[in-house]
Amino acid sequence: MHSVAIGESKQGRNFAHDSPREFGLSLVLATLGRSTEIERFFGSIRECTSWPVEIIVVDQNDDDCLMGILESGRKLGLPIHHLRIAPRKGLSLARNEGLRIARYSVVGFPDDDCWYESGVIMRVIQEYMHDENIDGLVARWLDRHAHHDQPQKLNPSQQRRFSGVPIASICLFLSTESVFAVGGFDEHLGVGTWAGSSEETDLVFRMMDLGGRFVYCPDILVRHHWAGTAVTVTGKLSSIVGGAMLRARGTGVMYAKHALDNTVVLKGLVAPVVKIFGFSGGLRGIAYWLGTALGRWQGFARWRRLRTLSSSAVTTGNRS
């Protein structure tokens, strides 16, 4: 995939051609409204200063709340770059802005409340030194995924059935040029948008569509507290429905945008409806599955409609 020309992509940004990047790892950390969590992340990578690495903090805050924390990180010897984009907000937007100034040939996307187990930086760099032809490395989310997997290459057909290796943005370490080749993140997806999830799945699918090669390394461990659906079924019922709907729209978009197999789509659209009528999880559980069902249907229907309108416009233009 590295030979794919970098240029304008309908999926993401128009990343201009650039000179070859130095070998190393750029970490693009988009943040809004957090502080102590960022200090924890900095502390978890303090041993990485002997490796070619940089941390690009993309600041979406409207004030200077991060200045002291960034200074503390620099005192640890960390090469931190501060990029302010406020008042613009959005996770995919922020990551694309960070990508534009990335110095190194590999890029990762830590959340502002995640942290790394010891040796992550070293292991990622070693994997890319060992095999420079990979386009993506997937680490294991220690708090969510059990350690029963073996190192393996990702199978695109399995991933498109959501039966392969679980993908989370905090676990992705990608070839910077390969990310540029597909136009970066789709800014219509992810936190801060109408479809508040699935931006990393979309990116990986698009890279795989161009022949991107991914490997899964379960011994590279990323931390991020995970409480399952328990965290989504607290608060008012209306908030539970709304939150679930927001996240599920991204999944629905994936069904239509990537023309997934009909059995995958049908199962994904019907399963939450079955959960509702099965009274799964009591009243709050029903609210969660109701929001999930509505969100998936909304995302699927909206993208299908937009794609149909786009195709009609192209057809009309060709006839004129």
Side-chain angles (χ1 to χ4, degrees):
M1 178 176 170
H2 294 290
S3 62
V4 176
I6 300 170
E8 186 171 359
S9 168
K10 295 179 181 179
Q11 310 297 335
R13 290 296 194 88
N14 178 13
F15 290 104
H17 285 273
D18 201 352
S19 57
R21 284 173 173 74
E22 301 174 48
F23 179 78
L25 176 61
S26 297
L27 297 174
V28 177
L29 189 155
T31 183
L32 175 63
R34 288 198 170 103
S35 55
T36 56
E37 295 89 347
I38 299 175
E39 288 185 291
R40 178 178 60 189
F41 177 75
F42 287 166
S44 76
I45 60 172
R46 63 187 303 171
E47 84 282 358
C48 78
T49 54
S50 61
W51 296 91
V53 63
E54 66 176 350
I55 302 98
I56 302 170
V57 177
V58 187
D59 186 356
Q60 301 173 88
N61 294 290
D62 295 318
D63 55 25
D64 295 325
C65 62
L66 294 184
M67 302 310 292
I69 294 167
L70 298 178
E71 185 58 31
S72 296
R74 293 187 179 108
K75 287 180 180 178
L76 294 175
L78 299 175
I80 297 171
H81 307 286
H82 184 207
L83 177 62
R84 305 193 69 158
I85 67 169
R88 295 180 299 158
K89 293 178 173 64
L91 183 58
S92 293
L93 164 68
R95 286 173 171 167
N96 281 344
E97 291 298 327
L99 276 166
R100 286 186 177 281
I101 65 171
R103 171 184 177 183
Y104 290 119
S105 58
V106 183
V107 62
F109 305 98
D111 281 352
D112 57 5
D113 58 346
C114 83
W115 68 102
Y116 292 164
E117 288 287 277
S118 177
V120 167
I121 304 296
M122 176 188 70
R123 286 284 292 109
V124 169
I125 290 177
Q126 287 177 340
E127 285 292 327
Y128 272 91
M129 289 175 64
H130 175 70
D131 187 352
E132 63 181 13
N133 292 317
I134 61 174
D135 296 283
L137 181 154
V138 183
R140 181 164 65 94
W141 183 351
L142 181 60
D143 304 275
R144 185 173 182 182
H145 304 135
H147 189 23
H148 55 74
D149 296 302
Q150 299 296 320
Q152 59 184 281
K153 296 179 182 178
L154 268 63
N155 183 307
S157 63
Q158 288 183 339
Q159 296 303 132
R160 289 174 66 88
R161 295 195 302 270
F162 301 107
S163 61
V165 171
I167 295 174
S169 58
I170 58 174
C171 299
L172 289 176
F173 298 91
L174 308 175
S175 158
T176 307
E177 293 303 321
S178 295
V179 176
F180 272 35
V182 297
F185 287 93
D186 186 336
E187 294 175 13
H188 296 96
L189 299 171
V191 176
T193 70
W194 180 83
S197 72
S198 301
E199 74 285 351
E200 69 271 73
T201 306
D202 171 69
L203 178 64
V204 170
F205 281 8
R206 286 187 280 121
M207 291 175 68
M208 285 184 168
D209 287 345
L210 291 182
R213 179 170 169 261
F214 287 75
V215 296
Y216 175 52
C217 299
D219 62 322
I220 300 178
L221 304 176
V222 177
R223 302 294 306 271
H224 189 295
H225 288 312
W226 170 251
T229 56
V231 72
T232 67
V233 293
T234 57
K236 296 181 179 179
L237 294 180
S238 59
S239 298
I240 295 172
V241 173
M245 188 168 13
L246 180 64
R247 290 182 293 273
R249 286 172 183 156
T251 305
V253 168
M254 291 300 98
Y255 297 154
K257 181 176 181 179
H258 294 279
L260 299 186
D261 187 84
N262 288 337
T263 58
V264 174
V265 176
L266 184 62
K267 179 179 178 181
L269 294 178
V270 171
V273 177
V274 173
K275 294 280 189 179
I276 295 170
F277 289 101
F279 298 100
S280 178
L283 191 58
R284 294 183 181 278
I286 292 172
Y288 169 78
W289 290 112
L290 174 62
T292 300
L294 291 173
R296 288 183 183 179
W297 279 97
Q298 286 178 345
F300 178 71
R302 181 171 180 175
W303 196 272
R304 282 281 295 266
R305 181 172 60 85
L306 290 175
R307 189 171 62 181
T308 299
L309 291 174
S310 177
S311 298
S312 298
V314 170
T315 301
T316 302
N318 289 338
R319 291 174 177 175
S320 61

